[in-house]
Amino acid sequence: MSFAGRVAIVGAGVGGLALGGFLSRLGVPFAVYEQARQFTRLGAGIQMSPNAVKVLRALGLERRIREFAFAPRSWSNRVWNSGDNLFDFIYGDEAEAKYGAPYVLMHRGDLHDALHSTVPAGSIAFNKTLTNLARKGGGYELRFADGSTAAADAVIGADGVHSRVREILLGPEKPRFTGRVAHRTVFSSALMNGYLVETCTKWWGPDRHIVIYPVNPRRDETYFVTSVPDPDWDVESWSARGDMDAVRRAFGGFHDDVQKVLANCPSVHQWALFERDPLPRWTEGAIALLGDACHPMTPYMAQGAATALEDAATIARCLAAVDDPGEALRRYEAARKDRTARIQLTSRQNSWGKGATDPGWVYGYDAFETPLPA
Ligand SMILES: Cc1cc2nc3c(=O)[nH]c(=O)nc-3n(C[C@H](O)[C@H](O)[C@H](O)COP(=O)(O)OP(=O)(O)OC[C@H]3O[C@@H](n4cnc5c(N)ncnc54)[C@H](O)[C@@H]3O)c2cc1C
């Protein structure tokens, strides 16, 4: 018998919206509480690997995603100056047959819009910054910065890397600054004077890298994301603007194909990269964490949002299988912890694709086929 109480989802990011989409399909009552006043279209690309696309498929989004995403032939890994090939992850039909879904690259805003479309209008409350969460009666009371409250029988903290729900459950965290920053932007390919990026490429320098890819089938928008040493900048937020001249200097000497991308790029944002260890637990009673709130990771395997989607699918499966929400969420944690810890720790090494890499254990995973622990 499935859970029939009311679920509060804190955070309308990738994982929170996906969970809302699944709960809506299951007929479980829910509300999403989001701190932002409205959604804004961030200038960023996102890679969705086959394990993520299987979740998007279950939300009915596959056709839409194939229309707006770019399907690369490979993720090529090349030496920063010579352009010599280190290793290619081969995608396209071959990988789709092997892993059960395509590997696609897209604008983060398009992904977010697609996920938003799976949640009924009116189920997201904006301008609701969670400040506190406490037991009340048989369930929970959520308190927000505007003084309002809400009640729920189960609470999912999908509130990202600076999760307030995690802080309430486990206390303040102490992430380690890696001494590195990521710059990222999406800009018009027309600024590259006729040059078009063909596929996804990671250019590996001695102490820095840059990943470049188009974000739609027309390839008229290009995305890049970097990782560069910068011990003086430790702000973990995309609202900070970076300096494109500094980015060009940081990648001076990189291959001509990188110079063509950076030459006229108008602007960039930057985010300090932190490392965190796997958490001891993700649940307490009928409260659980999801996505970056419980397993934030460095972006080097492009698996943060993918694993948040897997989490959402698994929570929905557990709530559909068990009527006691605490029991359902404990099963969810048990089903997900080893996998996400392994990805977190592998990602930290920043060696994915630098040499021969078998991605089967990541891409072949199907959040709907994996047995749920008893
Ligand atoms: C440079 C970079 C590149 C990346 N590239 C990829 C990639 O290619 N592929 C991939 O799979 N992953 C990638 N990731 C990781 C991915 O962005 C995250 O893992 C993913 O967004 C996590 O989803 P989430 O739903 O857990 O959190 P988020 O998407 O961060 O959503 C959290 C939501 O909670 C809201 N919120 C926060 N606090 C509160 C509060 N107190 N009350 C109410 N609401 C709140 C926020 O406003 C936000 O809407 C990348 C990350 C970085 C830094």
Side-chain angles (χ1 to χ4, degrees), residues 10-16 33-36 39 45-48 108 112 128-131 158-164 182 184 213 223 225 238 271 273 290-293 297 299 302-308:
V10 184
V14 174
Y33 300 98
E34 167 58 44
Q35 68 178 4
F39 291 138
I46 193 157
Q47 313 192 30
M48 287 280 98
R108 192 177 267 262
H112 203 262
K128 293 287 171 195
T129 303
L130 182 87
T131 52
D159 48 348
V161 71
H162 302 295
S163 170
R164 176 69 188 135
R184 78 177 182 191
Y213 56 82
Y223 168 72
V225 58
W238 283 122
W271 165 287
L273 292 165
L290 165 163
D292 276 5
M297 51 186 78
Q303 283 300 312
T307 48

Side-chain angles (χ1 to χ4, degrees), residues 245-311:
D245 286 330
V247 175
R248 280 186 275 269
R249 277 196 302 279
F251 290 92
F254 270 58
H255 193 273
D256 259 8
D257 287 357
V258 176
Q259 304 310 328
K260 286 176 203 151
V261 172
L262 298 183
N264 299 316
C265 172
S267 61
V268 74
H269 281 84
Q270 67 184 45
W271 165 287
L273 292 165
F274 281 76
E275 273 175 2
R276 297 167 167 91
D277 293 326
L279 291 180
R281 62 190 172 89
W282 301 357
T283 54
E284 187 176 292
I287 306 173
L289 303 170
L290 165 163
D292 276 5
C294 52
H295 47 70
M297 51 186 78
T298 56
Y300 305 142
M301 286 167 73
Q303 283 300 312
T307 48
L309 289 170
E310 294 174 356
D311 289 349

Side-chain angles (χ1 to χ4, degrees), residues 145-301:
D146 63 0
S148 62
T149 60
D153 302 300
V155 180
I156 307 299
D159 48 348
V161 71
H162 302 295
S163 170
R164 176 69 188 135
V165 179
R166 178 186 58 212
E167 215 170 69
I168 292 166
L169 291 190
L170 299 170
E173 60 151 1
K174 292 199 189 73
R176 287 181 299 279
F177 177 44
T178 59
R180 309 181 67 80
V181 299
H183 304 93
R184 78 177 182 191
T185 194
V186 172
F187 68 103
S188 166
S189 307
L191 293 171
M192 299 192 298
N193 297 324
Y195 178 67
L196 279 187
V197 173
E198 269 184 31
T199 194
C200 175
T201 303
K202 180 166 179 175
W203 298 89
W204 293 81
D207 67 346
R208 64 199 63 200
H209 68 247
I210 180 166
V211 180
I212 303 171
Y213 56 82
V215 292
N216 63 41
R218 303 177 303 283
R219 292 188 286 155
D220 57 11
E221 286 191 301
T222 300
Y223 168 72
F224 70 76
V225 58
T226 73
S227 173
V228 179
D230 186 350
D232 298 327
W233 175 266
D234 63 356
V235 182
E236 204 178 17
S237 159
W238 283 122
S239 47
R241 285 206 168 259
D243 172 359
M244 254 326 287
D245 286 330
V247 175
R248 280 186 275 269
R249 277 196 302 279
F251 290 92
F254 270 58
H255 193 273
D256 259 8
D257 287 357
V258 176
Q259 304 310 328
K260 286 176 203 151
V261 172
L262 298 183
N264 299 316
C265 172
S267 61
V268 74
H269 281 84
Q270 67 184 45
W271 165 287
L273 292 165
F274 281 76
E275 273 175 2
R276 297 167 167 91
D277 293 326
L279 291 180
R281 62 190 172 89
W282 301 357
T283 54
E284 187 176 292
I287 306 173
L289 303 170
L290 165 163
D292 276 5
C294 52
H295 47 70
M297 51 186 78
T298 56
Y300 305 142
M301 286 167 73

Side-chain angles (χ1 to χ4, degrees), residues 67-84:
E67 278 168 14
F68 66 59
F70 177 68
R73 63 169 154 69
S74 63
W75 165 351
S76 297
N77 292 276
R78 299 176 66 182
V79 176
W80 64 290
N81 51 0
S82 65
D84 289 349

